[in-house]
């Protein structure tokens, strides 16, 4: 797959001013299983198709000048699925990294992994590490892959890291601020998502980016993830552009 290394923000959403365009879009790629079962196919076929949709989304994000795309690829709760499905999803992740990594690297994509790393199978961990290491200096689209990710788990790990700094005398209680917390989450250094898109008609966050989504706009669409394409992406962006973000303040017209 390829992603435009020199972002061309003049693609199909060209009427939108850059100032209004979301810079960070996060995706809850839901509905793979239902997509498959509604066609009499095994659920795994939905995940396979889901990977194809993901490729389209990454490519399009590069074309329209999105800076960061975060994908919820495997949650810390997904381990509770049947073993065959978990094994399939691990294989899919492996294939994604093995097949797409060099192309993504050529396209200047920088990959970052968020989620718990303890207890991950060493082969998977090495692969994720390789993707991050290879693309670390790239300056194009940031692709953040949430793998073995759960926001509460991320917050617990962050709180422990802060507590260790306090116990070690590197940080005083009075110096703990919102920034301290942000800096101790897996997403440290990343902009909070401007927009979270969830497919398949479900309207919940499912333990995704709970801290980071304080002021995020949400877009829910009925399409199952395998059917999500460039047009659906553009519609999500158009929706975002119509929103008035006030961050707890007042509309400019009301002042
Ligand atoms: C949710 O659909 C989707 C997932 C748990 C996995 C998402 C994975 C992909 C889109 C494939 C690409 C991912 C990788 C590994 C890079 P669901 O299975 O919960 O669907 P359902 O709600 O209809 O059952």
């Amino acid at each position: 797959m390829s992603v435009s290394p020199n972002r061309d923000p003049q693609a199909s959403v060209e009427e939108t001013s850059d100032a209004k365009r979301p810079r960070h879009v996060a995706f809850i790629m839901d509905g793979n299983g239902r997509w498959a079962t509604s066609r009499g196919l095994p659920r795994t076929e939905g995940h396979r198709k889901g990977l194809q949709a993901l490729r389209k989304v990454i490519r399009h994000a590069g074309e329209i000048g999105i800076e960061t795309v975060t994908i919820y690829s495997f949650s810390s709760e997904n381990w509770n699925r049947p073993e065959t499905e978990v094994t399939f999803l691990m294989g899919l992740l492996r294939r994604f990294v093995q097949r797409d990594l060099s192309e993504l690297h050529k396209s200047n994509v920088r990959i970052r992994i968020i989620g718990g790393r303890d207890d991950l199978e060493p082969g998977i961990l090495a692969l994720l590490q390789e993707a991050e290491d290879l693309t670390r200096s790239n300056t194009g689209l940031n692709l953040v892959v949430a793998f073995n990710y759960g926001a509460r788990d991320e917050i617990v790990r962050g709180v422990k890291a802060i507590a260790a700094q306090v116990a070690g005398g590197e940080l005083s209680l009075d110096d703990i601020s919102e920034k301290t917390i942000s800096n101790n989450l897996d997403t440290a250094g990343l902009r909070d998502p401007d927009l979270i898109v969830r497919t398949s008609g479900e309207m919940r966050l499912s333990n995704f980016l709970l801290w980071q989504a304080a002021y995020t706009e949400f877009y829910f669409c009925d399409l199952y993830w395998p059917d999500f394409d460039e047009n659906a992406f553009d519609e999500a962006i158009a929706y975002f552009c119509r929103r008035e973000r006030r961050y707890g303040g007042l509309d400019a017209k009301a002042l």
Side-chain angles (χ1 to χ4, degrees), residues 13 22 25 27 195-198 217-221 228-243:
V13 285
V25 185
F27 291 93
L195 176 66
I196 290 182
V197 174
R198 182 171 189 153
E217 298 290 336
F218 294 94
Y219 180 79
F220 300 103
C221 77
F228 195 84
D229 61 8
E230 295 86 347
N231 288 335
F233 196 168
D234 285 349
E235 272 174 38
I237 290 172
Y239 166 84
F240 175 87
C241 295
R242 292 195 297 272
R243 307 291 306 160

Side-chain angles (χ1 to χ4, degrees), residues 44 47-48 83-93 95:
T44 47
H47 295 313
R48 202 194 311 274
E83 202 185 324
T84 46
E85 186 166 339
V86 170
T87 306
F88 185 87
L89 282 167
M90 293 302 127
L92 208 58
L93 178 76
R95 274 209 297 287

Side-chain angles (χ1 to χ4, degrees), residues 1-216:
M1 68 166 303
S2 69
V3 175
S4 164
N6 305 309
R7 299 195 196 111
D8 171 18
Q10 301 309 315
S12 50
V13 285
E14 59 195 276
E15 72 280 4
T16 308
S17 81
D18 280 350
K20 281 214 122 188
R21 199 120 8 110
R23 291 166 61 188
H24 180 175
V25 185
F27 291 93
I28 303 178
M29 309 181 287
D30 199 9
N32 292 349
R34 277 165 286 161
W35 182 92
T37 47
S38 68
R39 287 166 173 75
L41 299 168
R43 289 175 55 81
T44 47
E45 194 51 36
H47 295 313
R48 202 194 311 274
K49 277 280 178 192
L51 178 55
Q52 291 172 14
L54 173 61
R55 290 186 173 116
K56 282 187 206 167
V57 162
I58 296 171
R59 194 177 305 120
H60 196 52
E63 286 164 2
I64 62 176
I66 303 293
E67 290 175 13
T68 303
V69 164
T70 298
I71 54 163
Y72 206 1
S73 73
F74 193 86
S75 78
S76 43
E77 289 76 33
N78 285 154
W79 297 107
N80 299 325
R81 294 189 173 209
E83 202 185 324
T84 46
E85 186 166 339
V86 170
T87 306
F88 185 87
L89 282 167
M90 293 302 127
L92 208 58
L93 178 76
R94 252 194 211 101
R95 274 209 297 287
F96 175 58
V97 177
Q98 284 164 347
R99 288 197 194 156
D100 293 11
L101 182 58
S102 68
E103 197 72 55
L104 289 167
H105 181 44
K106 255 191 254 158
S107 301
N108 201 19
V109 172
R110 181 178 180 186
I111 297 176
R112 171 137 168 207
I113 313 294
I114 58 172
R117 299 197 183 198
D118 294 348
D119 304 329
L120 278 189
E121 197 249 295
I124 292 275
L125 188 59
L127 212 58
L128 298 177
Q129 195 71 57
E130 182 196 341
E132 278 190 325
D133 291 346
L134 180 71
T135 62
R136 193 173 304 282
S137 310
N138 289 347
T139 54
L141 178 76
N142 288 304
L143 175 62
V144 182
V145 180
F147 180 80
N148 189 30
Y149 178 87
R152 288 184 171 184
D153 171 63
E154 176 192 36
I155 291 169
V156 168
R157 288 186 285 104
V159 168
K160 283 184 180 168
I162 294 169
Q165 291 158 44
V166 173
E170 301 149 51
L171 182 67
S172 79
L173 270 187
D174 289 342
D175 288 336
I176 295 177
S177 64
E178 291 186 11
K179 207 167 173 27
T180 316
I181 296 178
S182 294
N183 288 343
N184 283 278
L185 296 178
D186 296 346
T187 49
L190 288 170
R191 177 188 176 79
D192 286 342
D194 299 299
L195 176 66
I196 290 182
V197 174
R198 182 171 189 153
T199 54
S200 90
E202 303 295 346
M203 297 188 195
R204 53 179 175 269
L205 260 182
S206 299
N207 205 11
F208 188 46
L209 301 177
L210 297 182
W211 172 269
Q212 299 86 341
Y215 290 104
T216 297

